Amino acid sequence: MQEPFRCHGVPAVPDALRRLRHELMAWVLAAGVDEARAGDIVLASYEALANVADHAYDGSGDGQVDVDASVFPDRVEVVITDHGQWRAPVPDTQPVSLRGRGLLLLRASADRADISPGDSGTVVTLAWDLDPVPDAR
Protein backbone atom coordinates (compact mmCIF):
# COMPACT_ATOMS: atom_id res chain seq x y z
CA MET A 1 0.00 0.00 0.00
CA GLN A 2 1.24 3.48 -0.92
CA GLU A 3 2.44 5.68 1.94
CA PRO A 4 0.22 8.74 2.54
CA PHE A 5 1.10 12.00 0.81
CA ARG A 6 1.72 14.78 3.34
CA CYS A 7 2.69 18.28 2.38
CA HIS A 8 2.07 20.96 4.99
CA GLY A 9 2.86 24.67 5.14
CA VAL A 10 2.92 25.19 1.37
CA PRO A 11 2.70 28.91 0.45
CA ALA A 12 -0.59 29.63 -1.30
CA VAL A 13 1.13 31.13 -4.36
CA PRO A 14 0.97 29.90 -7.98
CA ASP A 15 4.53 28.53 -8.28
CA ALA A 16 4.31 26.50 -5.06
CA LEU A 17 0.83 25.21 -5.93
CA ARG A 18 1.98 24.11 -9.41
CA ARG A 19 4.88 22.17 -7.85
CA LEU A 20 2.45 20.61 -5.40
CA ARG A 21 0.18 19.59 -8.29
CA HIS A 22 3.07 17.78 -10.00
CA GLU A 23 4.11 16.06 -6.76
CA LEU A 24 0.54 14.93 -6.15
CA MET A 25 0.28 13.54 -9.69
CA ALA A 26 3.50 11.56 -9.24
CA TRP A 27 2.21 10.19 -5.93
CA VAL A 28 -1.20 9.20 -7.36
CA LEU A 29 0.40 7.42 -10.34
CA ALA A 30 2.89 5.66 -8.03
CA ALA A 31 -0.13 4.40 -6.07
CA GLY A 32 -1.24 2.53 -9.19
CA VAL A 33 -4.22 4.74 -10.04
CA ASP A 34 -4.92 4.73 -13.77
CA GLU A 35 -4.01 7.88 -15.68
CA ALA A 36 -7.57 9.07 -16.38
CA ARG A 37 -8.60 8.74 -12.74
CA ALA A 38 -5.30 10.34 -11.64
CA GLY A 39 -6.11 13.30 -13.92
CA ASP A 40 -9.49 13.76 -12.21
CA ILE A 41 -7.88 13.60 -8.78
CA VAL A 42 -5.23 16.17 -9.60
CA LEU A 43 -7.63 18.47 -11.48
CA ALA A 44 -10.08 18.70 -8.58
CA SER A 45 -7.29 18.96 -6.01
CA TYR A 46 -5.58 21.76 -7.91
CA GLU A 47 -8.88 23.60 -8.28
CA ALA A 48 -9.34 23.42 -4.51
CA LEU A 49 -5.78 24.70 -4.04
CA ALA A 50 -6.37 27.58 -6.46
CA ASN A 51 -9.55 28.47 -4.57
CA VAL A 52 -7.54 28.62 -1.34
CA ALA A 53 -5.12 31.13 -2.86
CA ASP A 54 -7.92 33.16 -4.39
CA HIS A 55 -10.54 33.09 -1.63
CA ALA A 56 -9.15 32.06 1.76
CA TYR A 57 -6.29 34.51 1.52
CA ASP A 58 -7.90 36.95 -0.91
CA GLY A 59 -5.06 36.50 -3.42
CA SER A 60 -2.57 38.10 -1.03
CA GLY A 61 -0.18 35.12 -1.10
CA ASP A 62 0.30 35.39 2.66
CA GLY A 63 -1.34 32.09 3.53
CA GLN A 64 -0.40 28.46 3.61
CA VAL A 65 -2.15 25.25 2.69
CA ASP A 66 -1.80 21.64 3.85
CA VAL A 67 -2.46 18.61 1.64
CA ASP A 68 -2.95 15.08 2.95
CA ALA A 69 -3.78 12.23 0.60
CA SER A 70 -4.28 8.55 1.25
CA VAL A 71 -5.02 5.47 -0.80
CA PHE A 72 -7.41 2.96 0.69
CA PRO A 73 -8.42 -0.37 -0.88
CA ASP A 74 -11.61 1.18 -2.25
CA ARG A 75 -10.81 4.88 -2.67
CA VAL A 76 -8.35 7.76 -2.85
CA GLU A 77 -8.95 10.63 -0.47
CA VAL A 78 -7.38 14.11 -0.63
CA VAL A 79 -7.82 16.59 2.21
CA ILE A 80 -6.88 20.22 1.60
CA THR A 81 -6.78 22.52 4.61
CA ASP A 82 -6.27 26.26 4.65
CA HIS A 83 -5.88 28.49 7.65
CA GLY A 84 -7.63 31.50 6.17
CA GLN A 85 -11.10 32.93 6.27
CA TRP A 86 -14.03 31.44 4.33
CA ARG A 87 -15.57 33.89 1.88
CA ALA A 88 -18.91 32.84 0.48
CA PRO A 89 -18.97 32.80 -3.33
CA VAL A 90 -20.28 36.01 -4.85
CA PRO A 91 -22.53 35.47 -7.88
CA ASP A 92 -21.05 36.86 -11.10
CA THR A 93 -23.60 38.87 -13.06
CA GLN A 94 -21.79 38.47 -16.38
CA PRO A 95 -23.76 36.34 -18.87
CA VAL A 96 -20.67 34.26 -19.66
CA SER A 97 -18.31 34.23 -16.73
CA LEU A 98 -15.07 32.36 -16.22
CA ARG A 99 -15.43 32.67 -12.45
CA GLY A 100 -17.58 30.85 -9.93
CA ARG A 101 -17.19 27.35 -11.28
CA GLY A 102 -14.61 26.02 -8.82
CA LEU A 103 -17.02 24.28 -6.46
CA LEU A 104 -18.97 22.93 -9.43
CA LEU A 105 -15.74 21.51 -10.89
CA LEU A 106 -14.80 19.91 -7.55
CA ARG A 107 -18.15 18.19 -7.28
CA ALA A 108 -18.11 17.07 -10.92
CA SER A 109 -14.55 15.70 -10.79
CA ALA A 110 -14.74 13.86 -7.45
CA ASP A 111 -17.09 11.10 -6.36
CA ARG A 112 -17.52 12.94 -3.07
CA ALA A 113 -16.67 16.51 -2.12
CA ASP A 114 -17.15 17.95 1.35
CA ILE A 115 -16.33 21.57 2.14
CA SER A 116 -16.24 22.47 5.82
CA PRO A 117 -15.58 26.13 6.62
CA GLY A 118 -14.61 26.96 10.18
CA ASP A 119 -13.17 29.72 12.32
CA SER A 120 -9.60 28.50 11.80
CA GLY A 121 -9.86 27.73 8.09
CA THR A 122 -11.61 25.51 5.59
CA VAL A 123 -11.18 21.78 5.07
CA VAL A 124 -11.98 20.34 1.64
CA THR A 125 -12.23 16.55 1.57
CA LEU A 126 -12.36 14.93 -1.86
CA ALA A 127 -12.76 11.21 -2.52
CA TRP A 128 -12.68 8.98 -5.59
CA ASP A 129 -13.85 5.39 -5.64
CA LEU A 130 -11.42 2.81 -6.97
CA ASP A 131 -12.25 -0.49 -8.60
CA PRO A 132 -11.63 -3.25 -6.08
CA VAL A 133 -8.39 -5.12 -6.65
CA PRO A 134 -8.99 -8.86 -7.00
CA ASP A 135 -7.61 -10.92 -4.15
CA ALA A 136 -4.31 -12.45 -5.34
CA ARG A 137 -4.52 -15.85 -3.72
Side-chain angles (χ1 to χ4, degrees), residues 3-66:
E3 288 293 317
F5 179 88
R6 305 270 184 256
C7 205
H8 290 202
V10 177
V13 296
D15 284 346
L17 298 180
R18 277 192 296 275
R19 277 192 305 277
L20 185 56
R21 178 183 65 202
H22 293 296
E23 291 170 11
L24 183 61
M25 177 61 97
W27 177 85
V28 170
L29 291 172
V33 175
D34 72 78
E35 234 176 285
R37 191 58 139 175
D40 288 344
I41 291 168
V42 173
L43 174 67
S45 298
Y46 187 68
E47 181 60 33
L49 290 166
N51 279 341
V52 166
D54 199 25
H55 298 293
Y57 301 116
D58 206 19
S60 68
D62 291 334
Q64 295 183 343
V65 64
D66 303 331

Side-chain angles (χ1 to χ4, degrees), residues 18-130:
R18 277 192 296 275
R19 277 192 305 277
L20 185 56
R21 178 183 65 202
H22 293 296
E23 291 170 11
L24 183 61
M25 177 61 97
W27 177 85
V28 170
L29 291 172
V33 175
D34 72 78
E35 234 176 285
R37 191 58 139 175
D40 288 344
I41 291 168
V42 173
L43 174 67
S45 298
Y46 187 68
E47 181 60 33
L49 290 166
N51 279 341
V52 166
D54 199 25
H55 298 293
Y57 301 116
D58 206 19
S60 68
D62 291 334
Q64 295 183 343
V65 64
D66 303 331
V67 177
D68 296 282
S70 298
V71 176
F72 300 93
D74 63 338
R75 73 188 185 286
V76 172
E77 190 172 279
V78 177
V79 179
I80 297 164
T81 306
D82 70 53
H83 309 283
Q85 185 62 46
W86 173 262
R87 289 178 179 80
V90 177
D92 192 337
T93 59
Q94 299 298 318
V96 178
S97 174
L98 297 177
R99 303 209 28 95
R101 292 189 171 67
L103 297 179
L104 191 65
L105 179 64
L106 291 181
R107 291 189 171 106
S109 299
D111 292 323
R112 285 172 302 289
D114 179 60
I115 300 154
S116 302
D119 292 338
S120 60
T122 300
V123 178
V124 176
T125 303
L126 305 169
W128 293 265
D129 296 329
L130 296 176

